[in-house]
Amino acid sequence: MEAETLRVAAVQLQSQDNVAQNLDECRRLVGAARQGGAKLVVLPENFAYFGADETKRAIAERLPDPQGKIQAALAEMALGSEVFLVAGGFPEASGDPARPFNTALVYGPDGQLVTSYRKIHLFDVALQDGTNLSESSGTTAGEALVTFDIGRFRVGVSICYDLRFPELYRALVSRGCNVLLVPAAFTLHTGKDHWHALLRARAIESQAFVVAAAQWGKHPRGRTTYGHSLVVDPWGAVIAEASDKVGVVTATLDLSYLEQVRAAVPCLNHRRL
């Protein structure tokens, strides 16, 4: 029997504070990913808007709203390219108008919303380079884990700062996940030291493929992101990586290789805590 494989793409963006412009760029790159054979395409966090909290609140959409500008565009992209499309993080209206959720949307090849994930861990930090960020002041945290299936691949969804919390990924793996998604907008300061190490660690300890789509370059309000969108295999090897530019990286996930890794070092079966 032929091994089951899944062609995936991680899209790297340099999103700004113009929603229409950002969505046009997403359309172009989702199309390019499909041309590269991808069946699962991942857009990074802040794909539709990267700017001030006031405007973020103004563009927040309720779920589901097929007429919402951002949701309609994503449904069109997924349907037009016949892919599973995971849109890394956008402002979903919550019960608090000042603090929308940071939500990843999953669309199927039929253009229908499959599921959505609200970012659980919020980025409140004071970095050594002088960057002070308080995501919780403008964002409501989510609570629930989210998975979806593509054939025998079970995919777990996370967003950016979640990457620093291995218990989230352990919980996803306990639910059967063998692919982990990390759409992100990692800062340059933290990314240059931690991005590769954390993504490879999550892949190794989970014995799962990790697909991480990132923002790259300069954005409004002095934000600079690290980029280096990656696909990591269950052994921890980086099998695709983006250069310092906007673009798409693709890779083929092979389920038989994952099963080989899990059989050779069955650490998931050796857990005692």
Side-chain angles (χ1 to χ4, degrees), residues 134-159:
S134 176
E135 186 176 16
S136 65
S137 67
T139 305
T140 296
E143 297 178 348
L145 299 178
V146 170
T147 71
F148 65 98
D149 294 336
I150 305 176
R152 290 175 59 214
F153 291 92
R154 176 157 292 177
V155 184
V157 188
S158 65
I159 299 176

Side-chain angles (χ1 to χ4, degrees), residues 7-203:
R7 187 75 170 164
V8 300
V11 174
Q12 185 156 292
L13 296 173
Q14 190 177 20
S15 297
Q16 302 297 312
D17 55 7
N18 183 314
V19 174
Q21 174 184 306
N22 293 333
L23 291 176
D24 281 346
E25 187 77 329
C26 290
R27 286 188 190 93
R28 181 179 73 84
L29 292 169
V30 169
R34 183 66 186 93
Q35 287 294 108
K39 294 293 187 182
L40 169 62
V41 180
V42 185
L43 298 174
E45 185 181 28
N46 301 334
F47 65 92
Y49 180 78
F50 207 147
D53 280 350
E54 306 78 55
T55 304
K56 183 185 77 171
R57 291 192 292 267
I59 67 167
E61 298 178 5
R62 297 205 172 273
L63 287 183
D65 179 7
Q67 304 306 314
K69 180 177 182 178
I70 296 169
Q71 292 173 70
L74 294 170
E76 172 201 336
M77 290 178 221
L79 179 62
S81 293
E82 297 181 307
V83 296
F84 282 88
L85 178 63
V86 180
F90 97 116
E92 176 202 347
S94 70
D96 181 350
R99 299 170 64 241
F101 296 109
N102 184 348
T103 301
L105 303 178
V106 181
Y107 286 87
D110 59 359
Q112 297 300 305
L113 183 66
V114 174
T115 190
S116 60
Y117 166 73
R118 295 166 173 168
K119 186 178 183 181
I120 293 174
H121 300 97
L122 302 182
F123 192 52
D124 293 350
V125 300
L127 301 176
Q128 293 173 337
D129 68 351
T131 300
N132 286 279
L133 296 167
S134 176
E135 186 176 16
S136 65
S137 67
T139 305
T140 296
E143 297 178 348
L145 299 178
V146 170
T147 71
F148 65 98
D149 294 336
I150 305 176
R152 290 175 59 214
F153 291 92
R154 176 157 292 177
V155 184
V157 188
S158 65
I159 299 176
C160 201
Y161 190 51
D162 285 332
L163 180 59
R164 295 183 181 274
F165 300 87
E167 63 273 18
L168 183 151
Y169 301 92
R170 179 63 83 216
L172 288 171
V173 170
S174 293
R175 294 187 179 199
C177 289
N178 45 31
V179 180
L180 304 169
L181 306 185
V182 191
F186 244 63
T187 67
L188 175 62
H189 183 72
T190 58
K192 62 184 174 57
D193 295 323
H194 297 163
W195 177 247
H196 289 79
L198 287 168
L199 289 167
R200 294 186 65 214
R202 297 297 85 87

